[in-house]
Every structure is written in structure tokens, then in C-alpha cells.
Amino acid sequence: MKLMVTGGAGFIGSNFVRYVLDTHTDVHVVNFDALTYAGNLENLAGLEEDSRYAFVRGDISNPDDVQAVFAQYGFDAVLNFAAESHVDRSLHFGAQAFIQTNVLGTQLLLDAARKHDVPRFVQISTDEVYGSLGDDGRFSEATPMGPNNPYSATKAGADFLVRAAEHSHGLDAVITRCSNNYGPYQFPEKLIPLMIANALEGKPLPVYGDGMHVRDWIFVLDHCEAIDTVLRKGVKGEVYNIGSMYDVPNIEIVKLILKHLDKPESLITYVKDRPGHDRRYAMDNTKIRTELGWEPKYTFEQGLKTTIDWYLANGPWLEHVRSGRYLQYYEKLYGDR
Ligand code: NAD
Ligand code: TYD
């Protein structure tokens, strides 16, 4: 089985590449990635010599790049992880890159998959397309889309384009919508790795608003296994929500990280809230559990410990991604907050 994994040099994509090669001996992977600020070949260190793995540098929103890779390889499936993925960047630095990659890029991949008769297309989407919940309830696949920020709006746009390609053109496409991931190789712009990295350096931990915003956290390898399950067993045209149903306020996550690292809570600094900040996300994962037989394996305690241990053991990785352009980004986003 030859898989095209777009965005395979990012956080979830690189975990998926490792997971799928470790799990199935008959799988070959072509990792197609533009290597934006979030793409890092160090995430794939050790795979260079694997004959079942190839890396192609390319941009999903560039028709020539896309055409060339589809012409070179005959794919059995496309898994589209490539995206601009950070809400704060979409708010502070503009939506254009998000529209370019998340919307246009997805459409170019859909067109190429149709043209080359690729038998399966998996779109990696997010719970954020549903918008925000009140104090009760969870997102099901039937929840209407209600994205509230440019990132989630472009991801919702991509989901609609995937739906249209399936509905109108008969492409065999499925969509996964997952909750917040954490784990090894996550870029330290997202909550958990940012808090770990700052705590390790004894820097303030910037908690937005009152810290009572709720996210539903899943360990990245559970997400990878769910995607692999959908790739193999998902029904054409269906959407599958993925989550571990562990939803807690941000401040609790931050305190847990400090406890694990034996650092003082005095590092916590409440900062100006994110504009339009979605209050609560929580997934109902009944469909994928009952129809496809997937279950999350990691408790939050196990996943967080594995993650923190990984960051402690991979100081050089963290140092590399936190230098240069990252420092400018950090100053811009947090400097006057
Ligand atoms: P990430 O930002 O860590 O990685 C994105 C990858 O895509 C990078 O390697 C980057 O170089 C690549 N990329 C960006 N633009 C590209 C382009 N135009 N062409 C080719 N490659 C490009 O993202 P992530 O956190 O690993 O998320 C992966 C996917 O999962 C995204 O589609 C995201 O929306 C979705 N998702 C993420 C989460 C989460 O918690 N991180 C949750 C649910 C869904
Ligand atoms: P994030 O990891 O950016 O994921 P998302 O916005 O896609 O859910 O943020 C998770 C939560 O943590 C969100 O409610 C915003 C909050 N947050 C902070 O409080 N401080 C921070 O520095 C960051 C990056 C996020």
C-alpha cells in the first residue's frame, strides 16, 4: 500500500509516518511537505535509510508540485495533514496563508486524486470546525459547522470541498475531525509544548484570559491509530470524530505540567485573552468506537508523562526549534500582552 502523507514533517504527520511504518510492514510512505516554519525533518530522523519511506519537498497549493508527485507515484491513498494549523497565527498574522494551504491546497489534492483515480482520500480535520460549546454537550458528527476563527474557517472550507468532491464527483473520501493533540515533536507554539518549554527555562507561563477554556486532549499516537483505522475501515463519504473525552480547563493542564516538572505555580501569568476565544470543545467519539472499533489507549496521565519525558530527553530538538525566527514570533505574539 503506497500512501501519500502531506504535512508529514509536522507534528501529527511525522508521528503518523513513524506509526504507520512501524505498524504495517507492507506500507510505503511518500511524505510531501513544503517545510514551512512548522515542518522539520528532524522529526523524521532515522527514517532516511528506510526503503519504504521517501520525502518530496513540495507545496500542496502549487499545481506543478502536486502534478509532479502524482505523476511520479501511484498512490493507494492520500492522507492530507498539511495545513497552517495555529489559531493565534491566523488571528495575528493574517488568514492568507491559511486560505492558500488549507483551502486551495486541499482542492488541488482533491483534483489530483480524482485525475489519478486514487482509491481513498483522508482529510485530517479538526473539532474546531464545529465552533464553541456552552457548559454542556459534546460535538457529534451531526453538529452543524460553526467555525469562529480564520484557522477553523479554512479547515471547515476544506471539509466542504472534500464533501463536494465525494458527493458530486464520487471521490472515495472520508473526513476525520480530532480534538486537541499533544505528544512528542509538537511545535512549541501550542499550549502543552509551550508550557513545558517555558517551565523548563523558568519563564512565565502565559495563560489566556481566565484559564477556564476547555479543550478535549488526546495523545497523538491515539489519533494516529484512529486515522489508520479510518483509512482502512472508514465508509466513503463519512465523517468520524476522534477524541479521548478528557476535557479539562487549560489552567488544570498548566498546573499538571508544573507539578510533573516540580516547578512553582508562581510561573503562571494570566495574559490578555485570545480574541473570539472558543470557550469549550468536547468530542463525542461514539461513532468511531462503535462502528470502527477504535478506542483511545493512553490516559492523560500516561500521555502527559510520555510527552514531558520526551521533551526532557530531546533538549537539542527543542533548542533548534526555539531559536531564530521562533524568538521573533514569540516577541510579536506575547511581547505586549
Ligand atoms: P503542524 O503545523 O505541526 O504541521 C503542518 C505541516 O504541514 C508542516 O510540516 C508544514 O511544513 C506542512 N505544510 C504547511 N503548508 C504546506 C503546504 N502548502 N504544502 C505542503 N506542506 C505544508 O500541524 P499538526 O498539528 O501536525 O496538524 C496536522 C493536521 O492535523 C492539520 O491539518 C490540522 O488542522 C489537523 N489537526 C491538528 C490538531 C492539533 O491539535 N494539532 C487537532 C486536530 C486536527
Ligand atoms: P492551542 O494549543 O493553541 O490550541 P487550540 O487553540 O487550537 O485549541 O491552545 C489550546 C488552549 O490553550 C486554547 O484555549 C488557548 C490556550 N492557550 C493559552 O492559554 N496560552 C498560550 O500561550 C497558548 C498557545 C494557548
Side-chain angles (χ1 to χ4, degrees):
M1 198 182 196
K2 185 160 281 178
L3 305 181
M4 179 192 200
V5 173
T6 73
F11 161 48
I12 305 173
S14 61
N15 275 284
F16 182 79
V17 170
R18 288 178 184 283
Y19 169 85
V20 85
L21 288 172
D22 284 349
T23 311
H24 307 287
T25 50
D26 60 338
V27 160
H28 290 243
V29 170
V30 176
N31 173 11
F32 184 81
D33 197 298
L35 299 182
T36 67
Y37 78 92
N40 182 356
L41 290 180
E42 281 185 48
N43 297 357
L44 300 146
L47 288 182
E48 303 86 354
E49 304 304 320
D50 191 330
S51 59
R52 295 187 294 131
Y53 171 78
F55 174 70
V56 176
R57 186 168 189 175
D59 178 346
I60 64 166
S61 70
N62 179 318
D64 295 337
D65 290 359
V66 172
Q67 188 43 44
V69 74
F70 277 82
Q72 185 180 350
Y73 297 96
F75 294 121
D76 297 301
V78 174
L79 296 111
N80 184 26
F81 293 82
E84 287 293 334
S85 68
H86 188 34
V87 173
D88 291 320
R89 286 184 192 258
S90 79
L91 292 164
H92 294 277
F93 307 119
Q96 193 176 333
F98 289 74
I99 296 166
Q100 179 82 16
T101 289
N102 302 359
V103 181
L104 179 64
T106 299
Q107 184 60 45
L108 292 187
L109 290 175
L110 291 166
D111 291 343
R114 277 179 55 217
K115 183 173 165 199
H116 292 268
D117 293 321
V118 177
R120 173 128 282 198
F121 189 103
V122 183
Q123 174 68 7
I124 313 304
S125 187
T126 166
D127 58 357
E128 304 199 20
V129 299
Y130 296 121
S132 186
L133 291 163
D135 290 342
D136 305 313
R138 316 189 75 85
F139 298 129
S140 82
E141 291 80 358
T143 303
M145 304 264 245
N148 287 321
N149 58 62
Y151 162 66
S152 54
T154 57
K155 290 297 287 186
D159 283 14
F160 282 131
L161 293 171
V162 174
R163 177 188 157 104
E166 192 276 331
H167 183 85
S168 298
H169 297 300
L171 183 75
D172 184 323
V174 283
I175 297 172
T176 62
R177 293 188 184 137
C178 191
S179 62
N180 285 61
N181 284 223
Y182 65 97
Y185 303 107
Q186 187 167 28
F187 193 81
E189 63 184 358
K190 308 278 166 61
L191 180 75
I192 289 183
L194 184 88
M195 297 299 161
I196 295 172
N198 281 17
L200 286 175
E201 284 186 19
K203 281 173 67 174
L205 272 49
V207 173
Y208 298 166
D210 62 1
M212 293 305 290
H213 300 81
V214 172
R215 297 293 182 264
D216 182 344
W217 294 97
I218 184 170
F219 187 60
V220 65
L221 289 182
D222 278 331
H223 184 196
C224 292
E225 191 180 39
I227 292 168
D228 190 33
T229 305
V230 172
L231 166 70
R232 286 155 195 277
K233 299 202 226 161
V235 176
K236 175 178 179 287
E238 293 293 314
V239 173
Y240 296 94
N241 282 358
I242 302 167
S244 61
M245 309 203 12
Y246 179 83
D247 32 290
V248 283
N250 296 335
I251 190 66
E252 279 188 34
I253 302 285
V254 173
K255 287 184 177 169
L256 272 175
I257 292 170
L258 288 169
K259 198 167 150 222
H260 269 270
L261 289 171
D262 200 20
K263 298 282 182 181
E265 290 190 3
S266 55
L267 287 176
I268 295 172
T269 311
Y270 290 91
V271 300
K272 193 166 152 219
D273 208 355
R274 172 187 281 174
H277 196 172
D278 284 339
R279 192 67 175 167
R280 187 168 83 91
Y281 302 149
M283 279 303 221
D284 179 345
N285 64 11
T286 308
K287 181 173 172 182
I288 188 169
R289 281 196 292 109
T290 56
E291 295 184 11
L292 304 187
W294 169 86
E295 294 272 350
K297 294 202 170 99
Y298 288 80
T299 63
F300 187 75
E301 269 300 310
Q302 291 165 335
L304 188 65
K305 184 174 179 333
T306 306
T307 304
I308 291 177
D309 287 348
W310 186 88
Y311 280 90
L312 286 171
N314 288 275
W317 182 95
L318 195 54
E319 268 170 45
H320 293 169
V321 299
R322 290 199 111 196
S323 60
R325 274 194 301 163
Y326 179 87
L327 295 175
Q328 290 163 20
Y329 155 80
Y330 198 86
E331 186 49 35
K332 257 190 162 171
L333 200 70
Y334 294 94
D336 59 355
R337 216 154 174 155

